[in-house]
Structures are given as C-alpha cells and as structure tokens.
Amino acid sequence: DSGVTQTPKHLITATGQRVTLRCSPRSGDLSVYWYQQSLDQGLQFLIQYYNGEERAKGNILERFSAQQFPDLHSELNLSSLELGDSALYFCASSERDGGYGYTFGSGTRLTVV
Amino acid sequence: EDQVTQSPEALRLQEGESSSLNCSYTVSGLRGLFWYRQDPGKGPEFLFTLYSAGEEKEKERLKATLTKKESFLHITAPKPEDSATYLCAVAYSGAGSYQLTFGKGTKLSVIP
C-alpha cells in the first residue's frame, strides 16, 4: 500500500456520461498529480494541484476538470465521455510544491462503452 | 515526436541472464531522469533518480546509468520477481512545473 488511495478501482460507463474519480494523497502530502495511462500513449500528465491551488496543466482535455479540497483530497471529473477516454487514471502525491518524488496510487480503470 | 523512447518494448530473459534496458531522450534542459517499475494493475513504483551525465545508482540487481542522451537500466542475474514493466521518465526545463514525461515502457519477463 503506497498510502495514496484512489476510488473506485474500476468504472464502466457509457459514452456521453460523466464520472468522478477520487484521490486521497499520503498523509502530509500537499501536492496531487493526475496522470492518464493508455495502451498507445503511455503515461500522460494531466494536472497538478498544491494545497488547493492549480499549479500546472498538461494534456488535459477541456471535457476534464479537477479540484483539490481543503482536506487535500482531489477529484478528477470527466464529462461527455468518449470511447477513447478508456484508460487507467493515476493519482500521485508529494510532500512539497512539486519535486519529483511522486508516490502513485493504484489507479482507476475507466472503461467507456 | 516522442521525447522519451524506450527499447526494447518487450524483453524475455532466462533467470540469471543479465541484460540492459535503454531509455533515450531528446529534451533539452534535463532536470532529472527517473526509473519506475510497474506491476500489472498497480501504479508505478519509484526506483531511481539521475540528475547528471555520468551518475550511477544501484539497488539490489538493478543499476541505472545516465549519459547526455540516454539512460540504461542494467539488470544483473534477474529473478522471476523482477518481471514487470520498467518506465523511464524525464523532467526538463521546457515542461510545466514538476510534470514528468514518460516513455512507453519495457515489459520484462524473467523465465525460471
């Protein structure tokens, strides 16, 4: 157990729907990162939050959004889902505002049918 | 254009048969190169960080090295439990904040 908790582990939904993925960082970690892993693209950085504020954006679609709450947990919202959004979504956390010492969670496997 | 390329995509080794995995990168302003191990159904697990050419890091049967254009992950006398996908990632000055750019990985299978 890495200490980073992601729920749910698996999610199956239909095209056009909206889902929310949840991440609880390790105790004491203030930064949260979201990554998408698909078979053909590998791990792609989506977005980073630090202590509730957005810090960096990567290849995140406009249909996707995220936030980090006062208790430091984070949610990734995916809307108007398409078949191509099927992937593993990972959350990672680190203690400081950035730095590369990520700890990854076990991911949420999203299947869009 | 891929900025991080890993080869081979897949590698099968007999137990005890040493080999190397390659990670080549084309970014400028490298801040660090990272190796992760990923088991099926799990998140990547951090192995090493290398910051400058010539640097080496070791952990058990694994040794990572870095040059100005590539990194190698050497696996000495591998065991079946070393079977996993090994991911390479870079952090560089052209990227935003502390994001990592990953390669697609090398899937290693060690046969008893």
Side-chain angles (χ1 to χ4, degrees):
Chain A
D1 182 8
S2 68
V4 179
T5 303
Q6 291 188 248
T7 57
K9 291 192 181 304
H10 303 277
L11 197 51
I12 301 175
T13 190
T15 55
Q17 294 298 304
R18 172 189 168 95
V19 297
T20 297
L21 313 184
R22 182 186 170 103
C23 169
S24 295
R26 285 187 321 172
S27 177
D29 285 357
L30 300 178
S31 275
V32 169
Y33 311 78
W34 285 98
Y35 280 79
Q36 178 193 56
Q37 187 176 40
S38 58
L39 285 176
D40 57 341
Q41 293 292 327
L43 269 165
Q44 300 278 316
F45 171 74
L46 296 178
I47 198 164
Q48 178 206 351
Y49 279 84
Y50 172 76
N51 204 19
E53 293 186 7
E54 183 184 302
R55 273 290 191 259
K57 265 187 174 179
N59 301 319
I60 188 167
L61 300 172
E62 286 191 10
R63 300 183 285 109
F64 296 0
S65 65
Q67 54 184 327
Q68 186 179 28
F69 294 87
D71 67 353
L72 300 177
H73 91 271
S74 178
E75 293 181 356
L76 179 67
N77 300 297
L78 315 176
S79 61
S80 302
L81 285 168
E82 302 174 359
L83 296 177
D85 296 327
S86 296
L88 270 166
Y89 290 85
F90 287 104
C91 168
S93 71
S94 68
E95 183 178 348
R96 298 175 290 123
D97 180 7
Y100 307 107
Y102 294 1
T103 299
F104 281 87
S106 294
T108 293
R109 181 175 293 280
L110 173 66
T111 303
V112 182
V113 298
Chain B
E1 179 182 338
D2 287 347
Q3 297 169 304
V4 181
T5 304
Q6 292 188 245
S7 62
E9 290 185 11
L11 181 63
R12 286 171 61 94
L13 298 174
Q14 289 294 127
E15 185 172 0
E17 179 186 2
S18 301
S19 188
S20 296
L21 313 182
N22 177 263
C23 170
S24 63
Y25 59 93
T26 57
V27 303
S28 57
L30 183 74
R31 289 180 174 170
L33 186 139
F34 306 81
W35 284 97
Y36 285 83
R37 168 191 170 126
Q38 186 174 22
D39 293 300
K42 295 191 176 181
E45 176 188 347
F46 172 77
L47 293 173
F48 303 109
T49 307
L50 302 167
Y51 291 107
S52 57
E55 190 173 358
E56 299 181 352
K57 293 272 181 76
E58 284 190 67
K59 179 180 179 180
E60 296 181 355
R61 295 176 293 281
L62 300 177
K63 179 180 177 180
T65 62
L66 180 64
T67 72
K68 288 187 177 180
K69 292 190 175 182
E70 59 190 348
S71 176
F72 292 93
L73 184 65
H74 307 278
I75 303 177
T76 302
K79 298 182 177 181
E81 52 262 42
D82 295 322
S83 297
T85 295
Y86 290 85
L87 299 169
C88 168
V90 298
Y92 61 102
S93 56
S97 188
Y98 292 94
Q99 68 184 80
L100 296 179
T101 300
F102 282 83
K104 295 181 181 178
T106 294
K107 185 175 181 179
L108 174 66
S109 301
V110 182
I111 313 303

